[in-house]
Amino acid sequence: MFKNLKKIILKILKLSKQLDSYEKDSVVQALPSFAYVSRAKKCIEKQEYDKAEKILEEAMELPQEDALVYKYLGVVCERTGRLHDAVIAYKKSANLNSSDKEIWRFLGFALMNCNQAEEALESFENANKINPANTDVFAGWGMALMKIKRYEEAHEKFMESVRLNRYNFMALLLAAIMEVRLERYNDAESKLNFLANVSPNETNAYEYANLKYIKKDYDSAIHYAQKALSFNEYMLPVYLLLGKLFAIKGKQSESLSMYEKAEALGLITPHLYFDWGVTLQIYEEYEKSEECFEKALGFSYEVNEIKAGLALISAIRGELEKAKGILSELNGVPDDNYLLTKTLGVIALNEGDYDNAIKSFKSNLDKMFFDNTLNIFLAEAYDKKGDINNAKEYYEAALLNGADNISIYLKYVDFLIRQEEYASAQRKLKRALKLNSDNLQVLNLLFHIGYILVKENCSEYNIKETLSIADKIMSIDSDAFNYPEERTDLESIANNR
């Protein structure tokens, strides 16, 4: 939200009245600077900022200082992107005429743009004393409080701004955002629903989508996120949200396509590659995930969390010492960080510390329930611990959330074979075969289990069905058949019946 704050400030400023005429501003129109400022203002209105600045610099050489010279110089600096110079000019103007109705508001927004929120608070307080009941003053005041995370106070200022002007939809939006931060979701819902329908735009639609995501109304979240893109396709936060939403819905291709589209549009930031890397590791595409984390690391942004992602990939590959080395370099990463705890879980699993591995993976399920690899890791941890019932429970959970993932079937089947639950393993393999009828690994295992079951129940049907599997494998690739001796045995049994 804060990275869009400058855009919001600019929108609020556009809602403000145009610069008052110099004649109304000037207390003493007989000042020699009067003519200079009047000419400069006309240049500002024509967006001829270089001319305006030269005129104001000439006025600054006059013996008597005029607050309005510095006020309009601040305007020129702000509009030409020299924010720190604008702050200096506005401060000079305020010192010369502290009763100006606009100067403190101008200074407050300029300080906000320079990330000096604490000092901006004082400016907005002064602005309110001199010009009370101004909707833009209260909106700016709320922004300054929001930026230093005083959300309850910020909300009060935004609501006061709306009370003063019910059409100040930007202040209403910011009030709703504060309610989301304060977990007052029902209050935020009514405001964002109103904005999404009465004043539809990309920002209102995105914030409503984000609220729907928080409230776990994922279909509505997708709807409003896509609506936000229909207003503006260059909104990176929307692509990142949709990437997560489609992952939650189990739509892998749609999820990954969001990151690809954002990259194709040139929305390249560390946030894009970091979120992309997180999503890829959920789908066990570890090489691509590592590439994304490395790209994110190239921006030198939030390095610790990105490194936690790289540590996770190393741990999954079994490079435990490398993973531990990366983790030892981290500073300030919360103990409950998803990537950190998952990495620690993988390390513990590989080192035989199954209780801590289970604890780490379970702690992540609460916040990343759609990361199906957590169910797989939990199943493996319980399996190695010898807790067969829990292992089976988490394998079933993994299949429920990843019914189109053949690798999960294969892991589960390996577990069931070791438990000598051959009939159950056969049923799982037949389900996997529906995903890819020519998968040679599935077909070989299906033949092997079929052979075992024939030995237990030597019916003519079972023999024919199992031999037909061998024939299919041979028709696809004769060199890929792994059980020639068992086939020969089955053929002998069939011929002797």
Side-chain angles (χ1 to χ4, degrees), residues 236 240 259 263 267-280 288-289 291-297 299:
L236 177 61
L240 300 184
Y259 305 105
E263 184 182 47
L267 306 177
I268 296 172
T269 71
H271 294 286
L272 169 63
Y273 289 117
F274 176 75
D275 282 23
W276 198 349
V278 170
T279 303
L280 284 164
K288 291 181 180 178
S289 175
E291 289 176 5
C292 283
F293 286 137
E294 291 285 3
K295 287 180 180 178
L297 197 62
F299 289 88

Side-chain angles (χ1 to χ4, degrees), residues 51 64 80 100 166 199 240 259 279 396 426 439 488:
K51 289 184 180 179
Q64 189 169 355
T80 53
D100 186 306
R166 63 178 179 173
S199 180
L240 300 184
Y259 305 105
T279 303
E396 289 291 347
Q426 186 182 58
N439 187 293
T488 300

Side-chain angles (χ1 to χ4, degrees), residues 89-200:
Y90 288 145
K91 283 184 176 180
K92 179 73 172 179
S93 180
N95 288 333
L96 291 171
N97 181 14
S98 61
S99 61
D100 186 306
K101 291 184 177 181
E102 291 183 318
I103 192 60
W104 293 109
R105 174 164 55 89
F106 284 11
L107 177 57
F109 280 110
L111 287 165
M112 284 284 294
N113 278 324
C114 291
N115 297 315
Q116 298 178 47
E118 290 281 1
E119 194 173 347
L121 287 177
E122 298 178 15
S123 292
F124 289 120
E125 288 173 13
N126 288 335
N128 187 53
K129 290 175 184 176
I130 296 165
N131 185 24
N134 183 292
T135 185
D136 292 334
V137 168
F138 277 95
W141 203 344
M143 287 181 192
L145 289 163
M146 177 177 70
K147 203 160 189 181
I148 56 177
K149 300 183 179 181
R150 289 161 60 178
Y151 300 136
E152 188 67 57
E153 295 172 76
H155 178 261
E156 292 175 5
K157 301 303 181 188
F158 292 136
M159 290 305 297
E160 181 64 16
S161 178
V162 174
R163 188 189 69 78
L164 293 167
N165 179 5
R166 63 178 179 173
Y167 297 108
N168 192 337
F169 292 155
M170 187 59 66
L172 185 64
L173 171 66
L174 291 170
I177 292 171
M178 291 302 94
E179 288 166 351
V180 172
R181 295 287 173 88
L182 295 166
E183 299 184 4
R184 290 158 52 178
Y185 300 132
N186 290 336
D187 292 338
E189 174 97 33
S190 62
K191 293 177 178 64
L192 291 172
N193 180 53
F194 169 80
L195 290 169
N197 290 284
V198 174
S199 180

Side-chain angles (χ1 to χ4, degrees), residues 301-497:
Y301 181 81
E302 293 182 358
V303 170
N304 285 326
E305 195 167 8
I306 296 168
K307 284 188 175 180
L310 290 170
L312 172 61
I313 303 302
S314 295
I316 288 171
R317 288 174 176 163
E319 302 166 352
L320 303 188
E321 293 307 314
K322 182 178 179 180
K324 290 178 182 179
I326 296 172
L327 292 181
S328 69
E329 299 173 357
L330 303 185
N331 293 306
V333 177
D335 291 339
D336 63 348
N337 176 270
Y338 159 66
L339 292 173
L340 174 61
T341 50
K342 186 173 182 179
T343 304
L344 293 172
V346 174
I347 292 172
L349 177 62
N350 278 275
E351 293 184 335
D353 185 359
Y354 305 126
D355 288 334
N356 274 324
I358 289 166
K359 181 180 178 182
S360 294
F361 296 137
K362 280 189 173 180
S363 70
N364 271 333
L365 269 177
D366 293 335
K367 50 183 174 283
M368 293 290 283
F369 63 92
F370 55 94
D371 180 356
N372 204 30
T373 64
L374 295 171
N375 288 312
I376 298 169
F377 283 132
L378 279 164
E380 291 177 357
Y382 278 116
D383 179 12
K384 291 181 178 180
K385 189 181 177 182
D387 187 339
I388 304 307
N389 290 332
N390 271 314
K392 190 178 293 186
E393 178 185 336
Y394 281 101
Y395 272 125
E396 289 291 347
L399 270 187
L400 182 65
N401 295 312
D404 58 350
N405 188 334
I406 286 179
S407 70
I408 299 175
Y409 286 97
L410 293 173
K411 290 175 181 178
Y412 195 4
V413 165
D414 176 70
F415 165 79
L416 291 170
I417 290 173
R418 285 187 281 108
Q419 306 311 314
E420 298 185 357
E421 296 185 25
Y422 300 118
S424 181
Q426 186 182 58
R427 288 193 295 270
K428 302 301 181 199
L429 287 169
K430 286 181 177 180
R431 283 173 58 189
L433 207 59
K434 292 178 181 180
L435 300 174
N436 183 353
S437 60
D438 294 333
N439 187 293
L440 293 170
Q441 192 173 2
V442 173
L443 288 167
N444 268 292
L445 280 171
L446 197 55
F447 173 83
H448 175 61
I449 290 171
Y451 173 76
I452 294 172
L453 291 173
V454 164
K455 288 293 189 175
E456 293 179 356
N457 180 15
C458 190
S459 70
E460 184 176 351
Y461 175 80
N462 286 344
I463 294 171
K464 286 184 177 180
E465 183 182 36
T466 305
L467 285 172
S468 70
I469 297 170
D471 291 339
K472 183 171 183 178
I473 296 170
M474 295 292 288
S475 70
I476 296 171
D477 183 353
S478 59
D479 295 330
F481 183 57
N482 298 333
Y483 303 97
E485 293 180 5
E486 286 87 344
R487 181 185 185 187
T488 300
D489 188 24
L490 281 181
E491 289 174 337
S492 176
I493 294 172
N495 291 332
N496 292 328
R497 287 183 67 82

Side-chain angles (χ1 to χ4, degrees), residues 198-231:
V198 174
S199 180
N201 58 46
E202 65 267 32
T203 305
N204 293 339
Y206 166 70
E207 293 297 343
Y208 200 18
N210 189 55
L211 176 62
K212 290 293 187 181
Y213 160 69
I214 291 171
K215 296 183 76 172
K216 298 183 180 180
D217 183 357
Y218 301 124
D219 290 330
S220 293
I222 290 171
H223 169 75
Y224 283 104
Q226 291 176 330
K227 192 172 182 179
L229 290 181
S230 71
F231 290 113

